């Protein structure tokens, strides 16, 4: 309820004229120091708007001509110029030479870690630990295509089944059920035989029948005892490491419809120096040979 403005007898201040249930509001003035600070910030902001590009208008620059985007570009160019000599050494060296030279190696490890986070972690995990669904761990001793510096360099440069490079890693497991090579009971038998490599067969008779089917259809790629073959990118089936799942259903699925993991090729996307750094970095993750 607005009432009339009056002097408060206790504090000597005017009231605002507002009153609630008999309570009146004092109109205490703002402290002087606060008010002047406030005016100072307004004055500062006006000067800022004139000097710096503060208005949200495309192309607007202040009187100083300073633009954040140009400043960043300049900083990046300076950083690149500082790194250029090192980058050209990393480009010219082989991964072996980089790994053997402490200075190059330290630089490659730092750069490789950053490049891995940017380009590879989305599929292989932040620490290269891999992910179920066909994304192999790069930090263990199990390699589909090989864990030497040369093999890793080749895989990164040319990719796997991405059809982006003539030198890509390539091999196709047949779709045994989908293409009618095996019947459903035969797929079951051969899956039991695969499980028997890790002593997990649930049906010994089926696993026994599967042995002949395995010898006929699978040995050429996966080896007699399921030890795998790196030339063909056929993974080992006799250990605990599974790309697509260790359970019988996943194995039946792999045999029925086959798997064909795709890894992009990086040879045309990344600087050769970066590929060398990535090679040394991945090799160091734990499984390098
Ligand atoms: C789009 C997902 C994807 C990205 C991104 C990716 N990879 Fe891969 N990578 C794969 C898949 C899938 C495989 C397994 C291919 C196969 O089944 O043979 C693989 C395989 C590999 C292998 C071979 C592993 C072995 O056991 O032989 C290496 C090494 C590798 N990747 C390194 C990298 C590096 C380094 C990068 C980043 C520059 C990268 N990958 C980015 C999906 C990816
Ligand atoms: C032409 C070669 C080839 C033949 C023949 C072949 N495979 Fe494969 N197999 C592969 C390749 C290559 C992969 C890996 C695919 C990938 O990396 O995405 C694979 C993957 C698998 C996997 C998945 C492994 C995992 O870690 O998840 C299983 C299980 C498997 N094969 C079983 C068999 C069985 C059983 C047979 C015979 C009935 C067979 N394969 C025949 C090449 C072959």
């Amino acid at each position: 309820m607005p009432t009339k403005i009056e002097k408060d007898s206790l504090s000597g201040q005017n009231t605002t004229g507002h009153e609630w249930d008999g309570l009146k509001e004092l109109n205490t003035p703002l402290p002087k120091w606060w008010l002047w600070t406030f005016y100072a910030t307004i004055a500062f902001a006006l000067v800022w708007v004139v000097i710096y590009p503060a208005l949200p208008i495309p192309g607007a620059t202040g009187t100083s001509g300073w633009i954040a985007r140009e400043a960043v570009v300049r900083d990046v160019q300076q950083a690149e110029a500082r790194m250029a000599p090192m980058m050209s050494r990393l480009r010219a060296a082989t991964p072996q030479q980089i790994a053997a030279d402490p200075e190059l190696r330290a630089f490659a490890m730092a750069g490789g870690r950053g490049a891995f986070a940017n380009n590879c972690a989305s599929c292989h995990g932040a620490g290269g630990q891999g992910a179920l669904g066909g994304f192999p761990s790069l930090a263990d001793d199990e390699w589909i295509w090989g864990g030497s510096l040369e093999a890793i360099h080749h895989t990164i440069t040319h990719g796997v089944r991405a059809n982006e490079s003539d030198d890509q890693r390539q091999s196709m497991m047949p779709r045994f059920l989908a293409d009618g090579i095996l019947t459903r009971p035969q797929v079951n038998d051969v899956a039991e035989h695969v499980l028997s490599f890790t002593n997990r067969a649930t049906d010994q008779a089926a696993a026994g029948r599967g042995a002949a089917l395995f010898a006929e259809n699978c040995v050429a790629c996966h080896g007699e005892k399921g030890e795998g073959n790196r030339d063909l990118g056929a993974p080992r089936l006799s250990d605990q490491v599974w790309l697509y799942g260790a359970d019988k259903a996943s194995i039946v699925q792999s045999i029925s419809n086959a798997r064909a993991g795709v890894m992009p090729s990086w040879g045309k996307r990344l600087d050769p120096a970066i590929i060398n750094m990535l090679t040394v970095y991945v090799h160091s993750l734990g499984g390098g040979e």
Side-chain angles (χ1 to χ4, degrees), residues 21-93:
D21 292 341
L23 292 174
K24 290 176 184 167
E25 188 184 14
L26 283 181
N27 190 6
T28 312
L30 290 161
K32 283 277 177 300
W33 68 263
W34 192 95
L35 207 58
W36 285 112
T37 310
F38 181 56
Y39 291 148
T41 60
I42 293 174
F44 181 83
L46 288 174
V47 173
W48 182 281
V49 166
V50 172
I51 297 178
Y52 286 103
L55 300 173
I57 302 168
T61 63
T63 55
S64 68
W66 186 89
I67 295 176
R69 190 174 294 276
E70 285 176 2
V72 170
V73 169
R74 207 161 40 238
D75 286 354
V76 169
Q77 278 168 352
Q78 278 167 5
E80 275 171 0
R82 267 200 312 279
M83 291 193 325
M86 189 52 117
M87 290 298 271
S88 60
R89 281 175 66 194
L90 285 163
R91 215 169 284 130

Side-chain angles (χ1 to χ4, degrees), residues 144 161 171-174 176 182 190 194 213-214 217-218 220-222 232-237 241-245 251 254-255 259-261:
I144 310 172
R161 301 185 191 92
S171 77
M172 285 292 178
M173 172 161 160
F176 284 97
L182 297 177
V190 83
V194 169
L213 293 166
F214 191 86
N217 296 288
C218 322
C221 292
H222 288 287
L232 299 166
R236 187 189 288 268
L237 305 176
V241 180
W242 295 89
L243 279 165
Y244 297 97
I251 292 171
S254 292
I255 301 168
R259 313 278 194 179

